[in-house]
Amino acid sequence: MKHTRLHGRHTTLGARMADFAGWDMPIQYPKGIVFEHLATRKTAGLFDVSHMGRFRVKGERAIDFLQRFLTNNVLNLSPGNSHYTILANPQGGAIDDAYLYQLDVSDYVLVVNASNAQKDVEYLHSQVSAFTGVTLEDISESMAMIALQGPQSEALLENLLEAGALPPKRRNALNRATLCGAHAIVARTGYTGEPICFEVFIAAEAVEALWDALLDGGAEPVGLGARDTLRLEAGLPLYGHEFGIGPEDAEIAALACPVAQYAVSFDENKGNYVGKEALLRQAEARKRYAAGDFSQMRDLPWVIRPFRLIDNGIARAKTVVYDTDKPVGYV
């Protein structure tokens, strides 16, 4: 299995480790998932997310390349901003969902799921040659990534700030800063639903010092177990559950997931892109559903909704959901 640069820190802290997408990652630390979840909500949770894929896209035609293969409108970005997006296939399914960060004019970082990183980079590499002057570099090993989420996160980072500044106080903003003697990119993004949230990109050789300093400042380490409960509480999707292949071995339409509407653009200046026609049909089907018209179910056979258990228990993936005695869906 692969290890992030923080693997030794996790084992020293007594984390329970397990395979996640080929990475040996912390599932929880000795205080447990509930403690880690609540610590993130009440103070500050620190996450190692270096297992995720990070690709640098640069060049004069970088925007053309990204507009073609990502569903959101890159023209709405400017240096120092980011947004949620989807790498779609022609059928309107999600090859992956991702976050795109614009560092400078014609300079972007695309962050993708660990489970899809290899197929994503292979797919994008197979397409980039058609865009003269565009370079696509996998920087997943050279650039580490950690997340600091929760009410005390900003104060913890400010205490370590040596140069530059934290991003403006708005969602998806990013800025360059020096933390613990190393250059970093700090973004107000995250996967927990916390309003005060940061993800930090930093050279792999510098991440251990930053991790240690944040723990010394009072952050609590959080594993993938609480990361999952936090994203569920916030209603955020996870590829392999709300995107990808569903319980009946059929691909889930991207717009079946409500959050996907923020990742898909039909702006006129967005132009054509992979999956657009299918996504337009899905969007129309959602509108019809809202009016009680189910005539376009073939375009959007499933929609994803929250539900509440009526008794104690665990809603495990692929469990059938019933309305009285009628099966109406799956977890």
Side-chain angles (χ1 to χ4, degrees):
M1 283 189 289
K2 294 180 283 188
H3 294 174
T4 72
R5 289 293 288 258
L6 293 169
H7 185 270
R9 296 300 198 269
H10 303 317
T11 56
T12 298
L13 288 167
R16 181 191 300 173
M17 309 294 287
D19 179 8
F20 181 82
W23 293 84
D24 194 29
M25 294 296 293
I27 301 302
Q28 66 179 70
Y29 296 88
K31 293 179 182 178
I33 290 174
V34 173
F35 176 88
E36 294 168 25
H37 182 116
L38 294 176
T40 304
R41 294 288 184 236
K42 295 178 180 179
T43 56
L46 182 60
F47 305 72
D48 179 9
V49 290
S50 292
H51 61 306
M52 300 184 74
R54 292 170 295 288
F55 311 142
R56 191 83 171 261
V57 182
K58 300 175 70 174
E60 289 185 6
R61 296 194 64 200
I63 194 166
D64 298 331
F65 174 68
L66 295 168
Q67 287 284 65
R68 175 63 179 163
F69 296 103
L70 299 178
T71 59
N72 215 334
N73 191 353
V74 186
L75 289 172
N76 290 337
L77 288 181
S78 58
N81 291 282
S82 62
H83 65 200
Y84 183 48
T85 191
I86 292 172
L87 185 64
N89 61 31
Q91 295 75 41
I95 296 172
D96 206 355
D97 62 332
Y99 237 86
L100 181 67
Y101 300 79
Q102 185 170 4
L103 308 186
D104 207 337
V105 176
S106 302
D107 188 359
Y108 301 83
V109 170
L110 182 67
V111 176
V112 303
N113 286 292
S115 59
N116 293 327
Q118 189 60 39
K119 76 170 184 180
D120 290 351
V121 76
E122 289 175 358
Y123 171 64
L124 292 172
H125 267 306
S126 73
Q127 304 295 327
V128 74
S129 61
F131 296 81
T132 305
V134 176
T135 61
L136 172 66
E137 180 186 4
D138 187 345
I139 58 171
S140 305
E141 290 190 12
S142 61
M143 177 184 281
M145 184 177 176
I146 60 174
L148 185 67
Q149 313 272 295
Q152 296 180 11
S153 299
E154 188 151 10
L156 289 177
L157 281 176
E158 284 179 339
N159 288 339
L160 301 178
L161 191 63
E162 297 171 1
L166 297 184
K169 293 187 178 183
R170 53 181 167 76
R171 183 75 177 179
N172 291 333
L174 58 125
N175 206 0
R176 298 180 187 272
T178 300
L179 300 167
C180 299
H183 297 299
I185 298 163
V186 183
R188 289 186 185 268
T189 52
Y191 192 49
T192 62
E194 279 298 309
I196 301 176
C197 56
F198 297 92
E199 290 179 312
V200 181
F201 302 85
I202 193 167
E205 60 270 18
V207 71
E208 291 160 312
L210 178 58
W211 175 272
D212 293 344
L214 289 168
L215 290 183
D216 290 344
E220 291 288 345
V222 182
L224 296 183
R227 189 170 186 248
D228 197 39
T229 61
L230 288 159
R231 71 96 186 170
L232 280 169
E233 187 175 60
L236 299 175
L238 174 63
Y239 189 91
H241 292 264
E242 289 76 34
F243 291 122
I245 303 300
E248 295 186 339
D249 295 325
E251 185 170 56
I252 301 170
L255 287 176
C257 180
V259 177
Q261 65 183 304
Y262 303 108
V264 175
S265 172
F266 300 121
D267 293 344
E268 186 175 346
N269 66 354
K270 166 66 173 168
N272 195 21
Y273 56 89
V274 176
K276 181 179 180 179
E277 291 184 7
L279 291 166
L280 278 167
R281 293 194 298 270
Q282 292 174 25
E284 178 61 25
R286 283 198 72 98
K287 290 180 184 178
R288 289 176 181 263
Y289 285 0
D293 177 356
F294 299 96
S295 61
Q296 282 190 235
M297 283 189 66
R298 66 185 181 280
D299 296 315
L300 195 64
W302 297 95
V303 290
I304 295 170
R305 300 178 182 273
F307 67 93
R308 184 177 65 183
L309 295 175
I310 60 174
D311 206 345
N312 292 333
I314 300 173
R316 300 195 183 278
K318 299 186 179 181
T319 301
V320 179
V321 177
Y322 291 87
D323 180 0
T324 59
D325 60 350
K326 179 183 177 182
V328 293
Y330 302 87
V331 177

